Amino acid sequence: MSKQLHEAFIGRIQGQFADADKFLSAIEQTPYYSVRQNVAKRTDMGLPIGKPVPWCPDAYYLCERPNYTLNPLFHAGAFYPQEASSMYLWHVLSSVSEHLPQDPIVLDLCAAPGGKTTLLASYFGGRGVLVANEVVRNRAWILRENIAKWGCPNALVTNAEPARFGAEGAMFDLLVIDAPCSGEGMFRKDDVAVAEWTPENAAMCAARQRTIIADVWDAVVEGGVVIYSTCTFNPEENERNMQWIDSEYDVEFLRIPVVPQSCVTVVPFAQGEGYGFYPHKVEGEGFFICAMRKLSGRYRKPAKDKQKTTKATVPINCLKEQSSYDFYNIENKIVALPRQQSALMLRIANSYKSMLCGIETGEFIRKDFIPSAMLPLSAAFAADSYPTAELTADEALHYLRGEWTATQPLAQGWNVVGFNGCRLGFAKAVGNRVNNYYPKEWRIKMKI
Ligand code: SAM
């Protein structure tokens, strides 16, 4: 059955594209599915892998849509299902790298569920500091889970309004605004986006995007890079908003060479260009991306860190190169922060009451050290710090559902359980009993 597209949407597309018929019939076609592999956890992903995505390393189209929930490696953070067009961010980052310092301070402002953040984490590979922010609280918890599973030692997760960042003063070398939008680019995949589309809603999205940009603008340092993206075709939310930025701020739009044969469309506007991903041209869903440099702006001195965070120690060598980390007690959790970045990460954690900062290693309950579920998921985890029990796929899924009973003998005490060489979490053997320490909120709810 064909999609019930709003007639105002059809009318606008007919005015916008000379080949609107091709565009509209492409929206009816089967969507593309793709994943990006976590190179820190390289394994056979157990997916129907097809050809590589040409503009992003370690990314592949899938030959069919798998059930990710039933793949234990998804829960291990071995890959992230991400829409191929969105992965163009990698190419944009490579193209603007000359404008970024070696160790950039990065803000991913609208970050949940974490597709762009995990890409940024892989791209910068532990350099600098990465702040993943999501304003909607329950979505921020999902973001936290995905970042923890991806395992990045230099990332924080925050849950703040964009204006909070603007008010704190210029700090970020790179700001990514993957703005909430009218979602036209998702029409092929998402019938709810089709049903919810109205011209009024699209106009509201464009206005909200301008508010977000204005609220956060002061958080970017002079010379810093801003990357703006949406998953819509709506010019009001894309190139017109870029023109609005030009009218309000001192910016230089950056030209990004189009990846050959990608069929990405240059979207020109008076002062620069953005890049459009259209369903009848690109192997991916609808997307728009544009990069710019902030040339000058208001400078506010960043606020001083008022809070004292206490140093802590962990009773076990749980990280590779443990001596290059500082350990702190944040909200009773012992976190490991890469020493080079620790002062800045602490300052951000304190200012924004972060929901995650660095690697959560564990906590003391009375005198016992209870390791965190996040610890073995970290790329920095020392694999020999706890005994590991390798499970079958079926056992792993039962473990992830919280209903696994060990069939093999486990070492007494804490064990890491894993599948296909990737770690999933902890279990503790006490006598003949095995306690499952996979967090309740992460457990698979689906019947297996
Ligand atoms: N970057 C994410 C990714 O790659 O997985 C997708 C982000 S989604 C397109 C936009 C996000 O902006 C949503 O998570 C939404 O909750 C958030 N959002 C909604 N209203 C917002 C606002 N007023 N300010 C900032 N973010 C907002």
Side-chain angles (χ1 to χ4, degrees):
M1 207 177 72
S2 67
K3 296 199 185 282
Q4 298 298 302
L5 298 174
H6 198 292
E7 60 184 42
F9 172 75
I10 296 175
R12 200 198 75 219
I13 294 296
Q14 282 167 340
Q16 198 175 337
F17 296 95
D19 49 359
D21 288 352
K22 285 191 185 142
F23 182 109
L24 291 168
S25 72
I27 284 190
E28 304 289 340
Q29 284 161 10
T30 319
Y32 292 92
Y33 292 96
S34 44
V35 295
R36 200 164 28 73
Q37 187 161 25
N38 187 345
V39 284
K41 304 187 180 192
R42 211 181 270 286
T43 180
D44 174 356
M45 296 185 282
L47 293 169
I49 293 293
K51 62 183 181 182
V53 176
W55 44 78
C56 183
D58 307 305
Y60 305 91
Y61 292 98
L62 301 179
C63 303
E64 61 195 61
R65 186 189 182 177
N67 187 326
Y68 297 114
T69 306
L70 297 182
N71 184 335
L73 295 168
F74 168 58
H75 305 273
F79 62 86
Y80 192 94
Q82 188 177 29
E83 208 289 293
S85 304
S86 291
M87 298 178 192
Y88 207 75
L89 175 61
W90 188 289
H91 171 65
V92 173
L93 290 167
S94 319
S95 308
V96 303
S97 59
E98 65 184 291
H99 300 297
L100 291 173
Q102 177 65 15
D103 296 310
I105 308 172
V106 180
L107 172 60
D108 185 5
L109 183 68
C110 311
K116 307 277 182 319
T117 312
T118 55
L119 186 149
L120 288 160
S122 296
Y123 180 86
F124 290 111
R127 290 190 281 124
V129 170
L130 174 55
V131 179
N133 180 68
E134 168 56 45
V135 74
V136 179
R137 186 77 177 172
N138 59 357
R139 289 178 62 80
W141 283 111
I142 298 167
L143 174 67
R144 179 182 187 270
E145 177 180 338
N146 286 330
I147 301 314
K149 289 179 175 174
W150 202 252
C152 359
N154 60 332
L156 295 103
V157 174
T158 57
N159 168 224
E161 295 280 347
R164 269 294 318 279
F165 291 97
E168 288 277 322
M171 173 189 284
F172 296 97
D173 303 300
L174 171 63
L175 166 67
V176 176
I177 307 176
D178 189 29
C181 70
S182 56
E184 295 169 5
M186 289 294 124
F187 279 4
R188 202 152 48 179
K189 271 188 177 166
D190 184 359
D191 288 338
V192 177
V194 176
E196 286 180 351
W197 191 94
T198 60
E200 295 76 26
N201 189 32
M204 183 279 286
C205 287
R208 179 171 60 186
Q209 288 147 3
R210 291 193 291 276
T211 305
I212 292 172
I213 295 163
D215 284 350
V216 75
W217 195 257
D218 285 353
V220 182
V221 299
E222 266 184 27
V225 173
V226 179
I227 298 176
Y228 174 88
S229 61
T230 68
C231 58
T232 191
F233 313 112
N234 181 10
E236 297 292 334
E237 298 175 68
N238 296 338
E239 57 269 34
R240 306 259 162 77
N241 269 350
M242 299 303 95
Q243 282 175 295
W244 174 83
I245 290 182
D246 187 70
S247 68
E248 293 288 310
Y249 306 107
D250 186 14
V251 290
E252 168 197 24
F253 288 94
L254 301 172
R255 283 182 204 278
I256 310 295
V258 169
V259 171
Q261 271 115 51
S262 63
C263 300
V264 170
T265 303
V266 174
V267 182
F269 51 93
Q271 308 76 8
E273 61 189 36
Y275 305 92
F277 295 67
Y278 301 133
H280 56 316
K281 294 195 168 159
V282 167
E283 293 185 80
E285 304 312 304
F287 188 58
F288 172 85
I289 193 161
C290 185
M292 68 212 83
R293 259 177 96 212
K294 172 173 165 176
L295 296 180
S296 67
R298 219 158 11 139
Y299 177 76
R300 272 201 228 112
K301 224 170 155 192
K304 280 232 165 69
D305 186 8
K306 292 184 203 92
Q307 209 158 327
K308 271 258 163 289
T309 310
T310 49
K311 280 228 175 188
T313 48
V314 271
I316 181 162
N317 266 335
C318 54
L319 300 180
K320 298 177 224 165
E321 300 174 31
Q322 183 145 319
S323 59
S324 59
Y325 288 84
D326 286 331
F327 291 83
Y328 290 92
N329 189 325
I330 301 183
E331 309 263 329
N332 293 327
K333 300 276 193 293
I334 299 176
V335 301
L337 307 182
R339 182 155 306 132
Q340 299 264 325
Q341 290 102 313
S342 66
L344 177 63
M345 290 178 75
L346 275 183
R347 182 147 75 75
I348 298 171
N350 283 333
S351 296
Y352 295 94
K353 289 203 178 320
S354 65
M355 295 169 72
L356 176 68
C357 176
I359 309 164
E360 198 176 282
T361 64
E363 64 188 313
F364 279 98
I365 296 191
R366 285 178 289 276
K367 291 208 166 113
D368 293 332
F369 180 69
I370 313 294
S372 162
M374 293 184 193
L375 176 61
L377 294 163
S378 171
F381 180 70
D384 56 357
S385 52
Y386 290 92
T388 300
E390 180 76 9
L391 308 189
T392 64
D394 192 53
E395 288 173 323
L397 287 173
H398 282 91
Y399 169 76
L400 294 165
R401 254 180 78 80
E403 56 189 25
W404 168 62
T405 35
T407 47
Q408 71 265 62
L410 294 187
Q412 282 296 298
W414 293 103
N415 289 261
V416 169
V417 295
F419 170 68
N420 238 10
C422 285
R423 298 176 290 269
L424 296 166
F426 277 112
K428 189 177 183 189
V430 184
N432 291 329
R433 221 183 52 236
V434 175
N435 296 330
N436 189 333
Y437 273 77
Y438 197 64
K440 289 208 168 55
E441 61 281 13
W442 290 3
R443 287 183 185 175
I444 298 179
K445 291 170 191 79
M446 189 182 168
K447 283 247 175 307
I448 49 178

